[in-house]
Amino acid sequence: GVLGTGALTNGVATLSTAGLAAGSHVVTATYGGDGNYQVSISTPVTQVVNQAATTTVLVSAPNPSTFGETVTFTATVSGDVESGSVKAAIRYDGPTGVVTFTTASGVLGTGALTNGVATLSTAGLAAGSHVVTATYGGDGNHQVSISTPVTQVVNQAPVTVGVSANPTAGGTASGDGTYGHGATVVVTATANAGYTFVNWTEGGNPVSTAAAYSFTATANRALVANFVLNQYTIAVSANQAAGGAAIGGGLYDHGATVIVTATANTGYTFVNWTEGGNPVSTDAAYIFIATANRTLVANFALNQYTIAASANPAAGGSVSGGGLYDHGATVIVAATANTCLLYTSPSPRDRTR
């Protein structure tokens, strides 16, 4: 086909083009003649057009990245052509084809050139440093080219640590958050009043019995601080078994209402409840809230009775044996008659002689 035309100036016509494809092209020049000169055709000239050299430039973003984050590699391919001693970068039709992205371990993937640019996005790079190159495969008019290697740094992903308390009323758990891989993490469990910290568990499995649990962040973790409601032993006894009974002792949860009851036996009277020898209540039914272990003693006292004895008339004699006696004691009261008096047991009529 026709490449183009050129007007004669001083017998010379020229045509410049950068549109010839790579290869050999047989070109002839045909003079169309004028009123004075005939048509003439040149001897054919074979124009050899070599493939244009290319330059591939590779960049990546973001760099450094974090494990699991998408990284985009962008390769820009430029075609070069020489004209005389001047080398100018041009993009007439531009390079076409495919760019292959590779690492030391193999091919990451490929990208088709669009307006001289090919991209590849991946989130599959492992943590560490990766040396990546982009290789343009060339086309009919452009040579193969390989980019300067780019080192993509992939940092280890941050670690998320979550903490919770079980039950929530049992206490608090702190130390949760996001930590850099390899950082030291300390999570702390603090029991509320009436509760005791038991352990840390993860997925139901115990991992530590230390309230301040320290570990190295290497993976996401969900930790549970376990608490148990305190239980207290309430022990009751009577200071003397014969005096009575004490009931209500046992195992009680923290905050539970406890009622201990002292019941006196016949002939005894309840005095008080003591703990460690110190009086704590004079109520036979002693009510309190369980907040600690307790050892309570119900104290009983043996009843005492006053035996009063007198003579009637006083001149008639004397009596003895009166006084203060314990319950169940044997009491002997004696009457001694004065002279000329006869003591008889009380009757409707007293006799004298």
Side-chain angles (χ1 to χ4, degrees):
V2 177
L3 281 179
T5 62
L8 282 172
T9 301
N10 297 320
V12 177
T14 62
L15 173 70
S16 296
T17 180
L20 292 177
S24 294
H25 303 268
V26 178
V27 181
T28 59
T30 301
Y31 169 58
D34 60 15
N36 296 316
Y37 295 96
Q38 298 178 356
V39 173
S40 63
I41 301 174
S42 72
T43 300
V45 171
T46 300
Q47 177 66 41
V48 177
V49 179
N50 295 323
Q51 286 181 312
T54 61
T55 300
T56 300
V57 177
L58 175 64
V59 295
S60 64
N63 191 7
S65 61
T66 301
F67 175 75
E69 184 178 12
T70 297
V71 177
T72 299
F73 295 94
T74 302
T76 302
V77 181
S78 300
D80 294 337
V81 64
E82 282 198 35
S83 176
S85 62
V86 179
K87 186 174 184 180
I90 65 171
R91 289 193 186 165
Y92 38 95
D93 291 328
T96 61
V98 175
V99 174
T100 302
F101 300 87
T102 59
T103 67
S105 59
V107 175
L108 278 179
T110 60
L113 281 174
T114 301
N115 296 324
V117 177
T119 62
L120 174 69
S121 295
T122 180
L125 293 175
S129 295
H130 303 268
V131 178
V132 182
T133 58
T135 301
Y136 169 55
D139 62 14
N141 295 321
H142 299 90
Q143 297 176 8
V144 172
S145 61
I146 301 174
S147 72
T148 301
V150 169
T151 299
Q152 176 66 37
V153 177
V154 181
N155 294 322
Q156 291 176 312
V159 173
T160 299
V161 176
V163 297
S164 61
N166 176 44
T168 55
T172 58
S174 61
D176 58 320
T178 300
Y179 294 86
H181 189 94
T184 298
V185 182
V186 180
V187 292
T188 303
T190 305
N192 287 339
Y195 285 82
T196 298
F197 170 73
V198 179
N199 60 11
W200 289 97
T201 56
E202 185 173 20
N205 300 312
V207 293
S208 178
T209 56
Y213 173 35
S214 176
F215 58 91
T216 301
T218 57
N220 294 336
R221 302 190 71 177
L223 299 169
V224 178
N226 297 287
F227 302 93
V228 64
L229 185 63
N230 293 343
Q231 288 190 314
Y232 307 113
T233 298
I234 307 300
V236 296
S237 62
N239 70 324
Q240 48 182 314
I247 61 173
L251 198 62
Y252 290 86
D253 289 340
H254 177 86
T257 298
V258 182
I259 302 175
V260 291
T261 304
T263 304
N265 288 338
T266 301
Y268 286 82
T269 298
F270 170 73
V271 178
N272 61 12
W273 289 97
T274 57
E275 187 173 18
N278 301 310
V280 293
S281 178
T282 58
D283 295 329
Y286 174 32
I287 302 174
F288 59 92
I289 302 299
T291 59
N293 295 331
R294 301 191 69 177
T295 300
L296 300 170
V297 178
N299 298 287
F300 300 96
L302 185 63
N303 294 343
Q304 288 188 315
Y305 308 109
T306 299
I307 306 299
S310 61
N312 181 34
S318 62
V319 295
S320 63
L324 195 63
Y325 290 88
D326 288 340
H327 176 85
T330 299
V331 181
I332 300 175
V333 291
T336 303
N338 288 338
T339 304
C340 298
L341 292 179
L342 176 65
Y343 168 77
T344 63
S345 60
S347 65
R349 180 183 305 162
D350 291 330
R351 294 179 298 173
T352 61
R353 59 171 183 161

